[in-house]
Amino acid sequence: MNRYMALDVGDRTIGVAISDPLFIMASGHSTIFRENLEKDLEILKDIIVKESIIKIVVGLPKNMNNTLGERAEETKEFQAMLQRRTGLEVVLWDERLTTMESERILQEGGVRRENRKERIDWMAATLILQSYMDAHPIPEK
């Protein structure tokens, strides 16, 4: 069963979410604690194989005025490298406010402050993926 994967790429962590096989619902998968690029890629490739990933959506951190800053440029470089190294389509998707929304959801869900930090990244990735899938529904066959 094929799936999509979304990434919320940060300096220290990468939040990972995956879709269901029908491309309707996104779910948090994991948080990768970054060591180096090769190790990060090894972990991502393992997820890609195990979860039958066919497309990757990477959150693009735009500024509120819709401009791209240094972090967005780094994300674009990561996207291009990931596409080259995996051979999969890797699309960028606006991630503005997903971290704030993730914090709110976790807080309202009663997750304690010390536990929110380890969940915030995959929650943001989940919001990125859900937003992407909502905007790009898969046509029924």
Side-chain angles (χ1 to χ4, degrees):
M1 292 290 202
N2 294 333
R3 299 172 189 269
Y4 290 166
M5 175 171 71
L7 305 175
D8 179 37
V9 181
D11 291 328
R12 294 186 303 258
T13 60
I14 300 174
V16 180
I18 59 171
S19 73
D20 67 321
L22 298 175
F23 306 103
I24 295 170
M25 190 163 58
S27 299
H29 182 276
S30 58
T31 299
I32 298 169
F33 294 92
R34 300 188 76 176
E35 294 178 37
N36 60 59
L37 188 56
E38 289 308 314
K39 182 76 171 165
D40 300 344
L41 282 173
E42 186 180 310
I43 294 168
L44 288 170
K45 285 180 178 180
D46 188 46
I47 295 168
I48 289 166
V49 170
K50 284 183 180 174
E51 301 293 345
S52 301
I53 302 300
I54 60 168
K55 181 185 282 189
I56 302 170
V57 180
V58 176
L60 181 64
K62 290 183 172 183
N63 296 320
M64 291 309 290
N65 65 1
N66 209 32
T67 61
L68 301 178
E70 183 179 334
R71 186 79 197 122
E73 294 303 327
E74 291 170 3
T75 300
K76 289 170 74 174
E77 290 172 15
F78 184 84
Q79 173 228 14
M81 179 276 308
L82 191 59
Q83 190 160 303
R84 277 193 314 273
R85 299 284 286 270
T86 65
L88 295 175
E89 179 182 7
V90 181
V91 298
L92 295 171
W93 193 250
D94 189 349
E95 71 165 28
R96 281 179 285 186
L97 303 177
T98 55
T99 300
M100 287 175 37
E101 179 68 5
S102 298
E103 179 76 28
R104 185 190 65 75
I105 290 168
L106 292 170
Q107 190 173 6
E108 287 178 2
V111 177
R112 297 175 60 170
R113 171 172 263 131
E114 58 269 17
N115 295 332
R116 276 185 238 150
K117 187 141 181 73
E118 62 192 47
R119 294 186 175 120
I120 196 102
D121 298 309
W122 61 256
M123 177 62 77
T126 303
L127 294 173
I128 291 164
L129 184 54
Q130 191 64 57
S131 172
Y132 178 83
M133 291 189 307
D134 289 348
H136 298 88
I138 303 295
E140 292 187 35
K141 294 180 180 178

